[in-house]
Amino acid sequence: MYKVASASEFLVITGVGINDIKISKTAWVFPGQSCTIFDISPVNYTFEVQAMSAEKLPFILPAVFTIGPRIDEDASLIKYAKLISPHDKLSNHVKELVQGIIEGETRVLAASMTMEEIFKGTKEFKQEVVEKVQLELNQFGLLIYNANVKQLVDVPGHEYFSYLGQKTQMEAANQAKIDVSEAKMKGEIGSKLREGQTLQNAAKIDAETKIISTQRQGEGKKEEIKVKTEVKVYENQREAEVAEANAELAKKKAGWAKESQVAEVEASKAVALRDAELQMEVERMNAMTRTEKLKAEFLSKASVEYETKV
């Protein structure tokens, strides 16, 4: 036979071919095997645990625990299937089991703490109770999904928390009165301090203003002197540049005059040299002319004499 469990259920199969138990969502159930279905939905357990502190003062711890099987671990699920699932989750057997673990751990923890420690560290006390209870529930494959531990309650005839609350209220009221007085005193002192600081700040600002004004005047005069100095230096530089330019111009003029005179001398000498050359050429030409003339005369005479002799 083929069995299928719903979303919030598991199948537990025992019998032929299975050494211990088999947990599954779906399975074939063969002859000689037994199959049961158990629900894994968490259940709310409400308790009022009576405990006693180290001073032997009793109190009541109201709590609501949401507990169910741990489904994220196969080993825990097997423990739950073996030890808890055969019983109804709402039966007295399971409720007494869970209540016994919670009461035992709460009483052991409370016995090691004073009432003052429990009252002032209520959050830590609740957290430690939940942690210790969870350690014990692990052996049954159970998990605390949620724990709502309410405010501690006095046992009739032992109104410790009521008196402690009244004490706390009185201390808070007295502290509030002290705080109001201190606030009023601080306000008056602060007002006087503010007035004094205002006067001091005004005097300080006036002094700083005068200092800044004097500094500004000094800086203005200093800047004026600096500008005048820079203008004078600039004028001197300009005069020096003008004098240097004039000297350079005079030097260039002297050079130009010298070059002009040298050019004139060279020109006159060149003219004279050219005249001499031309005169020499004229004389050479004249000498050649006379030579040719003499040659012609001698040749004529020689010819005449030759002819005469002939």
Side-chain angles (χ1 to χ4, degrees), residues 6 31 55 102 104 109 123 143 148 153 178 220 234 264 272 280 310:
S6 65
E55 305 98 337
I102 295 173
L109 181 61
K123 182 178 179 181
L143 174 67
N148 183 15
V153 179
I178 294 172
Y234 178 74
E264 289 178 357
M280 289 176 62
V310 172

Side-chain angles (χ1 to χ4, degrees), residues 188-299:
E188 293 176 354
I189 294 173
S191 177
K192 295 297 182 181
L193 288 174
R194 289 291 176 86
E195 292 178 1
Q197 288 177 353
T198 301
L199 295 175
Q200 292 177 0
N201 291 334
K204 181 179 179 181
I205 292 171
D206 290 339
E208 291 178 350
T209 302
K210 291 180 180 179
I211 292 171
I212 293 172
S213 177
T214 304
Q215 289 178 347
R216 292 285 176 83
Q217 292 177 0
E219 290 175 356
K221 290 181 179 180
K222 182 179 178 181
E223 190 67 23
E224 183 180 357
I225 294 171
K226 180 180 178 182
V227 171
K228 289 182 178 179
T229 304
E230 290 178 352
V231 170
K232 187 64 176 177
V233 170
Y234 178 74
E235 290 177 352
N236 292 337
Q237 289 178 349
R238 293 297 299 167
E239 290 177 359
E241 291 176 356
V242 170
E244 184 179 357
N246 290 333
E248 186 67 24
L249 180 59
K251 182 178 178 181
K252 288 182 178 180
K253 285 182 178 180
W256 293 337
K258 180 179 178 181
E259 291 177 357
S260 178
Q261 291 175 0
V262 170
E264 289 178 357
V265 172
E266 289 179 350
S268 60
K269 287 184 178 181
V271 170
L273 181 60
R274 185 60 178 167
D275 288 341
E277 290 178 352
L278 292 174
Q279 185 64 34
M280 289 176 62
E281 184 67 23
V282 169
E283 290 179 356
R284 189 177 62 81
M285 294 298 293
N286 289 336
M288 289 177 61
T289 302
R290 286 196 297 272
T291 303
E292 292 296 328
K293 184 178 180 181
L294 289 175
K295 286 182 179 180
E297 289 178 356
F298 287 144
L299 182 59

Side-chain angles (χ1 to χ4, degrees), residues 4 13 18 35 37 42 48 54 60 77 94 103 113 127 158 178 180 188 190 200 224 229 246-247 252 255 262 269:
V4 178
I13 305 170
I18 300 174
C35 177
I37 299 175
E48 285 190 353
I60 297 175
L77 200 57
V94 177
E103 288 182 351
M113 301 174 66
Q127 182 65 30
H158 299 82
I178 294 172
V180 170
E188 293 176 354
Q200 292 177 0
E224 183 180 357
T229 304
N246 290 333
K252 288 182 178 180
V262 170
K269 287 184 178 181

